[in-house]
Amino acid sequence: MPATNDPHELSPAELTWHRVSPRYVTARLLNRMVTTVIWTAIVSVPVLLALLGVWSGGVQWWLWLPPAVVLAWGVVQLCLTPRRVRAIGYAQAPTELWLRKGLFFRTVTVVPYGRMQYVEISTGPVLNAFGLASVTLHTASAGTDAVLPGLPREEADRLREQLTERGEAHMVGL
Amino acid sequence: MACATPGGQPFGDQPAGGQPFVDQPWADTADTTSPGRSGGLEPLQPDAPDVWHRVHPLTPFVRSWLLLVALVWGIGHTFVEDIVSALIKGEPISVDVGGPVQVVGAGLFIALLCGVLGLLIGLGLLSWWFTRYQITREHVRFRSGWFFRTQRQARLDRVQGIDIERKFLPRILGLAALKFDVADGGSSVLELSYLGRDHARLLRKQLLVASHEAADDALAVSRGQRTGDSAILAQGTVESAASADGSVVGQAGGTSGKVAASEGGALPTGGAAAHTAPWDSSGTAAAPAAGTGAVRGAPGEASIPPGAAVEEAGTASSSMPDRDGVDVRVARKYGLLTEKDELRQVFTVPTGRVLLSLVCSVPAVLLALVLVAAAVAWVVYPDALLVLVPTAVPMLLGVVSGLYGRLEKSWGFTLSEVPSGVRSRAGLFNERSSTIPTGRVQALEVTRPALWRIFGGHRVVVTTAGKGGAEAAEGLGSLVLPVGTAEQVRVILALLLPLPDDPEPLVTEGLDGVGDGGRFTTSPRRARWFDPVTWRRTGFAMDDSSLVLRRGRLSRHASVVPHHKTQSVALSQGPLERRLRLASFAVHVTAGSVTTSVDHLDVDRAREAQWRQSELARAARERVGAHRGNAGAVTSDTRGSDVAVDIPRAGGPVPLRP
């Protein structure tokens, strides 16, 4: 069995897929960089203590391991971030919303408009600085993990309006 | 449905002068109406807002009996140990009263003991003093706690059933608790405990009638007010969730009706009903609420219009064409009002089968194996037991208590039809019950454990909207058949999932079938790397009404999810699955104990399944919407179409393999 490299293998090709904003790549990169730096700093404490001579016994080679691993992991994540963000997408079908995400662990979710209980827009300081917002769809099921991070603010608002409108139109009780 | 409000905020509605009028109904047990006929039932006198009743004074002690036992044990166990060991060794009994007594002296020690006992009794009485209930025309309210005060309330018109709880200790003391099953009630049920038994019986009858009347009133109100102004009222109760920087929005927050009902706060069920209001057919409330961001009714205001908007939303969104409350007329007709409002007993699980099912359960088999191993060890190497027994005892206790839990849940298990759905009850010492409204069943799973195949035993659990995990764990919750025959499974399917296409043949095939032969689509052969044993069983099938998933080789499972109950559908794929061109398929329903996913299907089949399922689910939703006469859900398709749509769906669904 040949492994396919078709990135959209899971998602139906009949739909027009939209991606999230390219600016979200920068936001995610920034976010990831900050967390990587913080974590590296935290796990470097033993090395620093050894270097400063607070710890007797000199600088053992394995003391470098934790920061090295964390840093390497962070760099790999940074390299993958653009592809990760490109993997996020959504498509508006007549009666349901399709969402996809994930690079290694892929998910394609269909949420019928009539099943949305409410649509939530949220944004944080970093996202806000880039003029972005996240749209979360809530259904009665906790399993529905439908988040669209990093949409431009206007698009998020438009999507929310549309989803709300269509949700009303198709709503059915539990 | 209710939450504690820490901080001891004073109750607002007490008269300033001092104590509200509180009567003590447990005291006048003169009203011992024979539970025979309901004909001479005097109607319930609704309480004024400041009238509260107290529960039985033994209540705090019955509730915290475990604490009392632990206390007595803590003080007394050293003496008991001394006596027991003296008896065993044949020595004269000499009780070592221990250090504390020698230090402070016997007299002072006894005085201290009495002091502690008195304090406990005082605390109990204090807690009893603050435990009160009230029954108004619309609500049952229950307050407790003197430091952290809690108020729970249930709307009478949403009450689906009232049960008299029979637990062991209260039963001995002649007490009873009333348990209210409330639609949209969130995770917990309201319990009025404890009352005198006769008073509880009388109150139950009166409340059933009152609940019926309240529901009728609500229906009348909602019919009268199906106009725009009610939607505006509803808007006042919509609590929008604003996000961190205040930018936003949502439709109504909260999904399952878990609304904080603090003093004077929003109605627990009213709030939930208001959440559904935006989606209501007449729901002009939604768009403005969403557009303007947070519309936050002050908690006090939210509870004001219980007659209009909330009721309107509640009944309009209720899943029954009429309503799913207690139908007292039917109950009265059948003479059921007196003890239980059950229309018909569907079946009772015979005791023999319950015991058989326990013997053939995994913990019992483990227990037997451990005992055999212990016996062998004892024969071969007697000293080993000295080491093994102390370590094994906690484990054995765990196994035994697990078995006992199962026994409690299946002993005398009876399923009955009630006007709103089915009711299950079971219990050896503590009888429990649970009402499952037919329209709220989201998914159902039939299991046939490996060892039960000997006698053809099946277990059935359901996922019900509004009944979360917590209640499922403590009550009977999701269990509708602890152990039963295939015939009983068929009966349950017909009762709980009355679908246009009977899912029974697919469920039977889901339990018996192996491989790709029948209507089921199973994992391809290459999935054996993931599921070496079960790959030929893992699969799904769907008809126009429901999706049936099957899994498990030795213990076999088949889950049914009606299409019109599915929330969303997801495909997922990890890196290894991608190498093998496999994908997993999951249907999302409300939280519960039914598994609704199949792993490692062929990726093309899984994609087709997702597409097809969403098509079928849409059709099923429309069918149900049309059936309910909910004009909004059907005609609104035209409303939706003026929004720019990315792509009209060309062609039909990709057909599945036959």
Side-chain angles (χ1 to χ4, degrees):
Chain A
M1 293 130 265
T4 56
N5 286 318
D6 174 16
H8 309 313
E9 187 192 26
L10 267 191
S11 41
E14 297 91 328
L15 301 167
T16 315
W17 290 86
H18 300 278
R19 283 187 189 157
V20 297
S21 165
R23 277 175 292 168
Y24 184 56
V25 176
T26 328
R28 273 276 279 265
L29 282 176
L30 209 66
N31 222 331
R32 175 62 74 176
M33 267 190 265
V34 171
T35 43
T36 306
V37 166
I38 289 174
W39 276 110
T40 313
I42 289 173
V43 296
S44 313
V45 168
V47 179
L48 289 178
L49 288 177
L51 281 175
L52 293 172
V54 183
W55 279 5
S56 53
V59 183
Q60 303 288 331
W61 65 268
W62 47 262
L63 280 179
W64 290 100
L65 267 183
V69 167
V70 170
L71 203 62
W73 177 254
V75 170
V76 169
Q77 296 296 316
L78 280 175
C79 295
L80 289 174
T81 297
R83 290 178 63 195
R84 285 234 164 89
V85 171
R86 275 201 299 275
I88 302 171
Y90 70 95
Q92 285 172 283
T95 52
E96 59 271 313
L97 185 75
W98 293 69
L99 301 119
R100 72 163 179 235
K101 65 169 186 189
L103 193 58
F104 292 117
F105 292 89
R106 294 177 182 170
T107 315
V108 176
T109 310
V110 199
V111 188
Y113 296 131
R115 283 303 184 198
M116 292 173 197
Q117 296 205 321
Y118 59 104
V119 183
E120 188 187 328
I121 296 187
S122 59
T123 171
V126 179
L127 281 184
N128 216 359
F130 286 90
L132 299 175
S134 298
V135 176
T136 313
L137 315 179
H138 292 269
T139 69
S141 167
T144 308
D145 175 26
V147 189
L148 272 175
L151 289 176
R153 244 340 243 287
E154 319 77 68
E155 202 185 332
D157 286 336
R158 179 193 64 79
L159 195 63
R160 191 202 68 214
E161 291 295 323
Q162 275 190 19
L163 291 178
T164 307
E165 203 168 323
R166 293 184 189 186
E168 269 172 66
H170 295 281
M171 185 61 185
V172 195
L174 279 180
Chain B
M1 68 180 256
C3 74
T5 50
Q9 175 192 351
F11 295 124
D13 55 358
Q14 288 187 1
Q19 278 301 315
F21 170 71
V22 175
D23 86 345
Q24 322 216 329
W26 44 268
D28 56 2
T29 44
D31 193 6
T32 49
T33 322
S34 80
R37 287 257 60 86
S38 59
L41 181 69
E42 57 179 281
L44 186 80
Q45 295 298 319
D47 296 333
D50 57 343
V51 176
W52 291 83
H53 308 283
R54 291 222 170 82
V55 295
H56 198 279
L58 280 177
T59 301
F61 307 104
V62 174
R63 279 190 169 176
S64 51
W65 66 274
L66 208 63
L67 184 77
L68 291 181
V69 167
L71 201 76
V72 170
W73 172 251
I75 294 170
H77 78 280
T78 45
F79 302 108
V80 175
E81 271 173 20
D82 281 348
I83 292 167
V84 168
S85 70
L87 281 178
I88 290 173
K89 290 172 190 161
E91 291 168 1
I93 296 171
S94 69
V95 175
D96 176 16
V97 287
V101 180
Q102 276 159 5
V103 170
V104 297
L108 192 57
F109 184 74
I110 290 172
L112 272 176
L113 212 63
C114 290
V116 170
L117 213 64
L119 190 71
L120 283 175
I121 292 175
L123 283 177
L125 287 178
L126 196 64
S127 130
W128 164 73
W129 185 260
F130 284 102
T131 307
R132 293 164 185 177
Y133 70 92
Q134 178 186 53
I135 296 156
T136 66
R137 203 166 279 284
E138 285 111 22
H139 293 96
V140 179
R141 296 201 174 91
F142 186 73
R143 263 178 197 179
S144 61
W146 53 276
F147 191 65
F148 294 112
R149 293 183 175 187
T150 309
Q151 172 164 316
R152 290 157 189 253
Q153 54 183 5
R155 280 171 35 146
L156 277 181
D157 63 315
R158 307 290 283 176
V159 167
Q160 291 181 328
I162 307 174
D163 268 330
I164 296 184
E165 178 100 340
R166 294 143 226 250
K167 282 199 173 149
F168 191 55
L169 193 61
R171 199 149 53 161
I172 291 175
L173 295 171
L175 303 179
L178 286 184
K179 239 179 73 184
F180 294 85
D181 253 317
V182 188
D184 292 338
S187 55
S188 74
V189 288
L190 178 75
E191 193 180 296
L192 215 73
S193 58
Y194 285 97
L195 308 170
R197 192 184 297 144
D198 295 325
H199 182 64
R201 279 194 188 138
L202 177 72
L203 200 60
R204 179 178 172 277
K205 278 187 273 180
Q206 291 178 332
L207 279 172
L208 278 175
V209 175
S211 126
H212 179 63
E213 280 162 3
D216 269 358
D217 289 351
L219 209 63
V221 168
S222 76
R223 279 189 185 133
Q225 290 217 346
R226 275 189 168 276
T227 41
D229 59 343
S230 65
I232 291 163
L233 271 173
Q235 207 181 352
T237 62
V238 171
E239 234 179 295
S240 288
S243 75
D245 61 346
S247 62
V248 172
V249 170
Q251 291 285 359
T255 58
S256 61
K258 274 178 281 174
V259 173
S262 52
E263 292 91 77
L267 314 172
T269 51
H275 290 153
T276 59
W279 308 112
D280 185 22
S281 52
S282 66
T284 48
T292 55
V295 180
R296 187 177 284 276
E301 289 168 2
S303 62
I304 290 171
V310 176
E311 242 93 334
E312 142 82 16
T315 45
S317 67
S318 110
S319 58
M320 294 275 165
D322 189 5
R323 63 192 183 80
D324 42 25
V326 182
D327 198 334
V328 172
R329 268 172 306 206
V330 178
R332 194 175 266 156
K333 184 175 155 199
Y334 289 90
L336 297 157
L337 202 54
T338 51
E339 275 301 298
K340 299 157 185 172
D341 58 338
E342 287 157 6
L343 299 180
R344 171 175 80 91
Q345 284 203 353
V346 182
F347 58 77
T348 299
V349 178
T351 308
R353 199 185 298 145
V354 170
L355 295 176
L356 192 61
S357 77
L358 282 180
V359 168
C360 295
S361 64
V362 174
V365 170
L366 275 182
L367 192 67
L369 285 179
V370 167
L371 289 181
V372 167
V376 169
W378 186 55
V379 168
V380 176
Y381 190 65
D383 287 348
L385 275 194
L386 284 177
V387 187
L388 284 179
V389 168
T391 52
V393 162
M395 198 192 80
L396 285 183
L397 279 181
V399 171
V400 169
S401 78
L403 280 176
Y404 173 72
R406 284 196 185 197
L407 186 67
E408 272 285 347
K409 282 190 173 188
S410 42
W411 186 272
F413 187 96
T414 305
L415 196 77
S416 333
E417 237 182 305
V418 291
S420 56
V422 299
R423 172 161 315 149
S424 53
R425 58 175 72 244
L428 182 56
F429 293 115
N430 298 324
E431 194 174 272
R432 313 170 214 224
S433 67
S434 145
T435 308
I436 299 162
T438 310
R440 299 184 79 81
V441 173
Q442 310 284 308
L444 180 148
E445 180 169 344
V446 185
T447 306
R448 193 169 62 194
L451 288 169
W452 289 12
R453 226 180 283 183
I454 304 164
F455 59 94
H458 298 74
R459 181 170 55 231
V460 182
V461 293
V462 292
T463 293
T464 316
K467 295 202 175 184
E471 204 223 350
E474 75 185 47
L476 280 171
S478 58
L479 191 66
V480 289
L481 180 64
V483 50
T485 58
E487 178 55 36
Q488 282 168 342
V489 172
R490 206 165 297 140
V491 170
I492 285 174
L493 278 173
L495 265 179
L496 285 180
L497 293 176
L499 301 170
D501 305 273
D502 186 11
E504 193 271 324
L506 278 182
V507 171
T508 310
E509 198 186 321
L511 286 174
D512 297 332
V514 176
D516 223 352
R519 279 173 289 175
F520 275 78
T521 309
T522 50
S523 295
R525 190 173 160 74
R526 55 187 187 276
R528 70 188 185 281
W529 297 109
F530 286 106
D531 298 321
V533 183
T534 60
W535 65 273
R536 276 161 60 76
R537 281 272 306 153
T538 308
F540 68 93
M542 47 181 119
D543 60 19
D544 286 345
S545 309
S546 59
L547 169 75
V548 181
L549 309 171
R550 73 176 195 200
R551 69 200 160 85
R553 191 73 184 238
L554 295 172
S555 273
R556 298 186 165 195
H557 304 264
S559 317
V560 190
V561 188
H563 287 318
H564 64 283
K565 296 293 185 191
T566 51
Q567 299 292 326
S568 53
V569 189
L571 287 190
S572 58
Q573 190 184 48
L576 290 176
E577 279 180 307
R578 184 152 58 254
R579 276 214 76 78
L580 292 172
R581 286 186 49 75
L582 299 172
S584 300
F585 173 68
V587 182
H588 303 140
V589 293
T590 56
S593 40
V594 174
T595 307
T596 55
S597 59
V598 263
D599 291 341
H600 316 315
L601 297 170
D602 178 80
V603 70
D604 295 323
R605 298 271 163 276
R607 219 174 54 203
E608 283 165 24
Q610 187 183 31
W611 186 272
R612 174 106 188 273
Q613 204 282 339
S614 41
E615 297 266 331
L616 288 172
R618 183 169 41 120
R621 278 197 302 275
E622 276 165 10
R623 205 162 52 226
V624 170
H627 178 66
R628 277 186 203 154
N630 189 349
V634 185
T635 57
S636 53
D637 278 340
T638 50
R639 263 168 73 197
S641 62
D642 58 5
V643 184
V645 167
D646 296 280
I647 180 167
R649 196 170 267 171
V654 188
L656 278 182
R657 260 192 308 178

